Amino acid sequence: STDVTERREMAAERERLLAAEREQVRRLRELDRMKDELVAVVSHEIRSPIAVIRTYADMLLDGPGLDDEQRMFAGVIDRRSTHLQHLVEDLLDLARLDSGQLAVDPRPLSLNRLVRQAVDDHRAAAEAKHLSVEVGLERHLPVSADPVRLRQVLDNLLSNAVKYTPEGGAVTVIAGCSGRIGGDGECRSGTVTLTVADTGIGIPAEEHEQLFSRFFRASSAHEAGIKGTGLGLAITKAIVEAHGGTIDAAPRDGGGTVFTVRLPVDPAAPA
Ligand code: ADP
């Protein structure tokens, strides 16, 4: 009978431990949810004051009557608040991602125009660092995509390429069809492949796997003293995957990095 009592006590103890564990899991989930909510609420609240600061800094810079020193101060306010605005947008995107609200609204479109516009918008930054920028677009590339979100992907990859490539380097954007090509030379099925390559500081091979995790920054970026948050690629990957695509990074022959995005072809997309 002592045996029976002992077994009963052990069973009761196991029950207590299991209950305590379940309670712990529940509390951790609750804390995690509260953390997500805090980030979302704070980001949202910070967003409008930053927009106001930016608007007034722009007005000061556009208007007359500032001396050189004042212009320099207004420039700093403008640049720093723009940086904050991007950070807040990234945090809001992550919050949307966590709550399943990062919506993509895909429609048939040609990747060519979107790529050209994105590259044009990054040319000034590249030229300021004496980087050459080359674009190779093979035929009409029809995809089904959310133009705003896909622009975000292109902007992130291009701004990284410019940011992580020292003076005098090169950025090359190539897009092509890895599927069936029709008689008219158009991409009919399969995937559209877009690569953004640079001759920059590169990423150590053993870090490639973590590259798309939130807040991850490569050791090469730390060593080069280049600032960042490690949020952009996590968002970029989520957007690409929401389009049914894939993204990966590889070292470039001769140094630097190549990012490859693959998207399904949408034969209905207009040229
Ligand atoms: P951020 O640039 O703000 O740090 P990202 O999420 O865009 O954040 O990139 C994550 C990390 O990946 C960067 O910190 C950097 O270490 C590395 N990385 C991204 N793009 C490149 C690139 N073109 N060349 C070298 N390293 C890069």
Side-chain angles (χ1 to χ4, degrees), residues 171-214:
V171 175
T172 312
V173 183
I174 293 173
C177 177
S178 341
R180 195 170 68 77
I181 294 157
D184 50 2
E186 284 202 1
C187 200
R188 287 278 173 237
S189 64
T191 45
V192 164
T193 304
L194 169 91
T195 60
V196 178
D198 64 59
T199 60
I201 61 171
I203 299 156
E206 64 274 17
E207 295 178 14
H208 278 200
E209 213 171 294
Q210 293 148 271
L211 213 54
F212 299 96
S213 314
R214 287 173 196 194

Short mmCIF file of all heavy atoms in Angstrom, two decimals, residues 171-214:
data_model
loop_
_atom_site.label_atom_id
_atom_site.label_comp_id
_atom_site.label_asym_id
_atom_site.label_seq_id
_atom_site.Cartn_x
_atom_site.Cartn_y
_atom_site.Cartn_z
N VAL A 171 27.58 48.36 -59.00
CA VAL A 171 26.31 47.70 -58.68
C VAL A 171 25.68 47.27 -60.01
O VAL A 171 25.60 48.08 -60.94
CB VAL A 171 25.36 48.66 -57.93
CG1 VAL A 171 24.00 48.01 -57.70
CG2 VAL A 171 25.98 49.11 -56.61
N THR A 172 25.29 46.02 -60.10
CA THR A 172 24.72 45.51 -61.35
C THR A 172 23.38 44.85 -61.10
O THR A 172 23.27 43.98 -60.22
CB THR A 172 25.66 44.46 -61.99
OG1 THR A 172 26.98 44.98 -61.99
CG2 THR A 172 25.24 44.12 -63.40
N VAL A 173 22.37 45.29 -61.82
CA VAL A 173 21.03 44.72 -61.67
C VAL A 173 20.67 44.01 -62.97
O VAL A 173 20.69 44.62 -64.05
CB VAL A 173 19.99 45.83 -61.40
CG1 VAL A 173 18.61 45.23 -61.17
CG2 VAL A 173 20.41 46.67 -60.19
N ILE A 174 20.37 42.74 -62.87
CA ILE A 174 20.02 41.98 -64.07
C ILE A 174 18.72 41.24 -63.82
O ILE A 174 18.53 40.66 -62.74
CB ILE A 174 21.14 40.98 -64.43
CG1 ILE A 174 22.39 41.76 -64.86
CG2 ILE A 174 20.70 40.04 -65.56
CD1 ILE A 174 23.60 40.89 -65.08
N ALA A 175 17.81 41.29 -64.78
CA ALA A 175 16.58 40.53 -64.63
C ALA A 175 16.32 39.77 -65.92
O ALA A 175 16.55 40.29 -67.02
CB ALA A 175 15.41 41.46 -64.31
N GLY A 176 15.89 38.55 -65.78
CA GLY A 176 15.64 37.73 -66.97
C GLY A 176 14.58 36.69 -66.71
O GLY A 176 14.06 36.56 -65.61
N CYS A 177 14.29 35.94 -67.77
CA CYS A 177 13.25 34.93 -67.72
C CYS A 177 13.91 33.56 -67.61
O CYS A 177 14.76 33.22 -68.42
CB CYS A 177 12.45 35.03 -69.02
SG CYS A 177 11.16 33.80 -69.18
N SER A 178 13.55 32.80 -66.56
CA SER A 178 14.09 31.44 -66.49
C SER A 178 12.97 30.45 -66.79
O SER A 178 12.90 29.40 -66.19
CB SER A 178 14.70 31.14 -65.12
OG SER A 178 15.00 32.30 -64.41
N GLY A 179 12.11 30.83 -67.66
CA GLY A 179 11.00 29.95 -68.00
C GLY A 179 10.86 29.82 -69.51
O GLY A 179 11.80 30.08 -70.25
N ARG A 180 9.67 29.46 -69.94
CA ARG A 180 9.43 29.25 -71.37
C ARG A 180 9.29 30.61 -72.05
O ARG A 180 8.60 31.50 -71.54
CB ARG A 180 8.16 28.44 -71.57
CG ARG A 180 8.01 27.87 -72.98
CD ARG A 180 6.87 26.89 -73.01
NE ARG A 180 5.57 27.55 -72.81
CZ ARG A 180 4.93 28.24 -73.74
NH1 ARG A 180 5.45 28.40 -74.94
NH2 ARG A 180 3.74 28.78 -73.49
N ILE A 181 9.94 30.76 -73.18
CA ILE A 181 9.87 32.01 -73.92
C ILE A 181 9.04 31.79 -75.17
O ILE A 181 9.26 30.84 -75.93
CB ILE A 181 11.29 32.52 -74.26
CG1 ILE A 181 12.00 32.88 -72.95
CG2 ILE A 181 11.24 33.73 -75.19
CD1 ILE A 181 13.48 32.87 -73.01
N GLY A 182 8.05 32.66 -75.36
CA GLY A 182 7.14 32.51 -76.49
C GLY A 182 7.76 32.96 -77.81
O GLY A 182 8.88 33.50 -77.84
N GLY A 183 7.05 32.74 -78.91
CA GLY A 183 7.53 33.09 -80.25
C GLY A 183 7.83 34.57 -80.39
O GLY A 183 8.72 34.98 -81.14
N ASP A 184 7.10 35.39 -79.64
CA ASP A 184 7.31 36.84 -79.69
C ASP A 184 8.44 37.29 -78.77
O ASP A 184 8.64 38.48 -78.55
CB ASP A 184 6.00 37.54 -79.29
CG ASP A 184 5.44 37.00 -77.98
OD1 ASP A 184 6.09 36.10 -77.40
OD2 ASP A 184 4.37 37.46 -77.55
N GLY A 185 9.17 36.33 -78.18
CA GLY A 185 10.28 36.67 -77.31
C GLY A 185 9.86 37.01 -75.90
O GLY A 185 10.66 37.45 -75.08
N GLU A 186 8.60 36.80 -75.59
CA GLU A 186 8.13 37.13 -74.24
C GLU A 186 8.21 35.93 -73.30
O GLU A 186 8.12 34.79 -73.71
CB GLU A 186 6.69 37.64 -74.30
CG GLU A 186 6.64 39.06 -74.82
CD GLU A 186 5.37 39.76 -74.42
OE1 GLU A 186 4.54 39.15 -73.72
OE2 GLU A 186 5.21 40.93 -74.81
N CYS A 187 8.36 36.27 -72.02
CA CYS A 187 8.46 35.26 -70.98
C CYS A 187 7.05 34.70 -70.73
O CYS A 187 6.15 35.44 -70.37
CB CYS A 187 8.99 35.96 -69.73
SG CYS A 187 9.70 34.88 -68.52
N ARG A 188 6.85 33.41 -70.95
CA ARG A 188 5.49 32.85 -70.93
C ARG A 188 5.14 32.09 -69.64
O ARG A 188 3.99 32.06 -69.22
CB ARG A 188 5.31 31.89 -72.10
CG ARG A 188 5.20 32.59 -73.41
CD ARG A 188 3.78 33.08 -73.65
NE ARG A 188 3.73 33.90 -74.84
CZ ARG A 188 3.28 35.15 -74.85
NH1 ARG A 188 2.86 35.72 -73.75
NH2 ARG A 188 3.27 35.83 -75.96
N SER A 189 6.14 31.42 -69.06
CA SER A 189 5.87 30.64 -67.84
C SER A 189 7.17 30.42 -67.09
O SER A 189 8.24 30.76 -67.59
CB SER A 189 5.24 29.30 -68.21
OG SER A 189 6.16 28.55 -68.95
N GLY A 190 7.07 29.86 -65.89
CA GLY A 190 8.27 29.62 -65.11
C GLY A 190 8.53 30.77 -64.15
O GLY A 190 7.60 31.30 -63.54
N THR A 191 9.79 31.19 -64.04
CA THR A 191 10.10 32.25 -63.08
C THR A 191 10.88 33.39 -63.71
O THR A 191 11.59 33.21 -64.69
CB THR A 191 10.97 31.71 -61.91
OG1 THR A 191 12.01 30.91 -62.46
CG2 THR A 191 10.18 30.91 -60.93
N VAL A 192 10.69 34.56 -63.11
CA VAL A 192 11.49 35.72 -63.45
C VAL A 192 12.59 35.80 -62.38
O VAL A 192 12.31 35.67 -61.20
CB VAL A 192 10.62 37.00 -63.43
CG1 VAL A 192 11.49 38.24 -63.40
CG2 VAL A 192 9.68 37.02 -64.63
N THR A 193 13.83 35.96 -62.84
CA THR A 193 14.95 36.01 -61.90
C THR A 193 15.59 37.39 -61.93
O THR A 193 15.95 37.88 -63.00
CB THR A 193 16.01 34.95 -62.28
OG1 THR A 193 15.37 33.68 -62.31
CG2 THR A 193 17.13 34.91 -61.25
N LEU A 194 15.69 37.98 -60.75
CA LEU A 194 16.29 39.31 -60.64
C LEU A 194 17.51 39.21 -59.72
O LEU A 194 17.41 38.68 -58.62
CB LEU A 194 15.26 40.27 -60.02
CG LEU A 194 15.79 41.62 -59.58
CD1 LEU A 194 15.68 42.63 -60.71
CD2 LEU A 194 15.04 42.14 -58.37
N THR A 195 18.64 39.70 -60.19
CA THR A 195 19.82 39.71 -59.31
C THR A 195 20.32 41.13 -59.11
O THR A 195 20.31 41.94 -60.03
CB THR A 195 20.98 38.85 -59.88
OG1 THR A 195 21.35 39.38 -61.15
CG2 THR A 195 20.61 37.40 -60.02
N VAL A 196 20.70 41.40 -57.88
CA VAL A 196 21.34 42.67 -57.53
C VAL A 196 22.72 42.32 -56.99
O VAL A 196 22.84 41.70 -55.93
CB VAL A 196 20.53 43.46 -56.48
CG1 VAL A 196 21.24 44.76 -56.11
CG2 VAL A 196 19.13 43.75 -56.99
N ALA A 197 23.74 42.65 -57.78
CA ALA A 197 25.11 42.28 -57.40
C ALA A 197 25.93 43.52 -57.09
O ALA A 197 25.68 44.59 -57.66
CB ALA A 197 25.77 41.50 -58.53
N ASP A 198 26.87 43.39 -56.16
CA ASP A 198 27.76 44.51 -55.88
C ASP A 198 29.17 44.00 -55.64
O ASP A 198 29.38 42.81 -55.44
CB ASP A 198 27.24 45.31 -54.67
CG ASP A 198 27.23 44.51 -53.39
OD1 ASP A 198 28.30 44.03 -52.97
OD2 ASP A 198 26.14 44.34 -52.79
N THR A 199 30.13 44.93 -55.70
CA THR A 199 31.53 44.57 -55.47
C THR A 199 31.95 44.99 -54.06
O THR A 199 33.11 45.29 -53.82
CB THR A 199 32.43 45.28 -56.50
OG1 THR A 199 32.26 46.71 -56.32
CG2 THR A 199 32.07 44.90 -57.92
N GLY A 200 30.97 44.99 -53.15
CA GLY A 200 31.18 45.55 -51.82
C GLY A 200 31.89 44.65 -50.82
O GLY A 200 32.61 43.73 -51.20
N ILE A 201 31.62 44.91 -49.55
CA ILE A 201 32.36 44.28 -48.45
C ILE A 201 32.03 42.80 -48.27
O ILE A 201 32.73 42.08 -47.58
CB ILE A 201 32.11 45.01 -47.10
CG1 ILE A 201 30.62 44.97 -46.73
CG2 ILE A 201 32.59 46.46 -47.18
CD1 ILE A 201 30.33 45.48 -45.32
N GLY A 202 30.93 42.33 -48.88
CA GLY A 202 30.58 40.91 -48.80
C GLY A 202 30.05 40.50 -47.44
O GLY A 202 29.98 41.31 -46.50
N ILE A 203 29.66 39.23 -47.36
CA ILE A 203 29.10 38.67 -46.13
C ILE A 203 29.76 37.31 -45.93
O ILE A 203 29.73 36.48 -46.85
CB ILE A 203 27.58 38.49 -46.25
CG1 ILE A 203 26.90 39.84 -46.49
CG2 ILE A 203 26.99 37.83 -45.00
CD1 ILE A 203 25.56 39.74 -47.18
N PRO A 204 30.36 37.05 -44.77
CA PRO A 204 31.00 35.74 -44.57
C PRO A 204 30.00 34.60 -44.80
O PRO A 204 28.85 34.69 -44.37
CB PRO A 204 31.44 35.79 -43.10
CG PRO A 204 31.53 37.24 -42.75
CD PRO A 204 30.51 37.92 -43.61
N ALA A 205 30.45 33.55 -45.51
CA ALA A 205 29.57 32.44 -45.92
C ALA A 205 28.79 31.85 -44.75
O ALA A 205 27.61 31.53 -44.88
CB ALA A 205 30.38 31.36 -46.61
N GLU A 206 29.43 31.74 -43.59
CA GLU A 206 28.76 31.09 -42.46
C GLU A 206 27.64 31.96 -41.87
O GLU A 206 26.88 31.51 -41.02
CB GLU A 206 29.76 30.68 -41.37
CG GLU A 206 30.50 31.83 -40.69
CD GLU A 206 31.75 32.27 -41.45
OE1 GLU A 206 31.88 31.93 -42.64
OE2 GLU A 206 32.59 32.98 -40.85
N GLU A 207 27.53 33.19 -42.36
CA GLU A 207 26.48 34.07 -41.83
C GLU A 207 25.29 34.18 -42.79
O GLU A 207 24.28 34.80 -42.46
CB GLU A 207 27.05 35.47 -41.54
CG GLU A 207 28.08 35.43 -40.41
CD GLU A 207 28.70 36.79 -40.14
OE1 GLU A 207 28.19 37.82 -40.62
OE2 GLU A 207 29.73 36.82 -39.44
N HIS A 208 25.42 33.56 -43.98
CA HIS A 208 24.36 33.71 -44.99
C HIS A 208 23.00 33.25 -44.49
O HIS A 208 21.97 33.82 -44.84
CB HIS A 208 24.74 32.96 -46.27
CG HIS A 208 25.66 33.76 -47.13
ND1 HIS A 208 25.85 33.54 -48.46
CD2 HIS A 208 26.45 34.79 -46.82
CE1 HIS A 208 26.71 34.41 -48.94
NE2 HIS A 208 27.11 35.17 -47.95
N GLU A 209 23.02 32.18 -43.68
CA GLU A 209 21.76 31.61 -43.23
C GLU A 209 20.97 32.56 -42.32
O GLU A 209 19.75 32.57 -42.35
CB GLU A 209 22.05 30.32 -42.47
CG GLU A 209 20.98 29.28 -42.63
CD GLU A 209 21.45 27.97 -42.04
OE1 GLU A 209 22.42 27.40 -42.60
OE2 GLU A 209 20.89 27.56 -41.02
N GLN A 210 21.69 33.37 -41.53
CA GLN A 210 21.01 34.27 -40.57
C GLN A 210 20.62 35.60 -41.19
O GLN A 210 19.92 36.40 -40.56
CB GLN A 210 21.95 34.57 -39.39
CG GLN A 210 22.28 33.40 -38.51
CD GLN A 210 23.68 33.58 -37.97
OE1 GLN A 210 24.67 33.17 -38.58
NE2 GLN A 210 23.79 34.23 -36.82
N LEU A 211 21.08 35.82 -42.41
CA LEU A 211 20.97 37.13 -43.05
C LEU A 211 19.56 37.71 -43.05
O LEU A 211 19.38 38.91 -42.96
CB LEU A 211 21.45 36.98 -44.49
CG LEU A 211 22.13 38.15 -45.10
CD1 LEU A 211 23.29 38.61 -44.25
CD2 LEU A 211 22.61 37.77 -46.48
N PHE A 212 18.56 36.82 -43.15
CA PHE A 212 17.19 37.29 -43.28
C PHE A 212 16.44 37.27 -41.95
O PHE A 212 15.23 37.46 -41.91
CB PHE A 212 16.45 36.46 -44.34
CG PHE A 212 17.09 36.58 -45.70
CD1 PHE A 212 17.99 35.63 -46.14
CD2 PHE A 212 16.80 37.66 -46.51
CE1 PHE A 212 18.59 35.74 -47.38
CE2 PHE A 212 17.40 37.79 -47.76
CZ PHE A 212 18.29 36.83 -48.20
N SER A 213 17.18 37.05 -40.85
CA SER A 213 16.55 37.11 -39.52
C SER A 213 16.53 38.55 -39.05
O SER A 213 17.44 39.32 -39.34
CB SER A 213 17.34 36.30 -38.49
OG SER A 213 17.69 35.06 -39.00
N ARG A 214 15.51 38.87 -38.26
CA ARG A 214 15.38 40.23 -37.72
C ARG A 214 16.58 40.64 -36.89
O ARG A 214 17.06 39.84 -36.09
CB ARG A 214 14.16 40.28 -36.79
CG ARG A 214 12.91 40.23 -37.56
CD ARG A 214 11.76 40.12 -36.63
NE ARG A 214 10.63 39.70 -37.41
CZ ARG A 214 9.39 39.76 -37.00
NH1 ARG A 214 9.11 40.18 -35.78
NH2 ARG A 214 8.42 39.37 -37.78
#
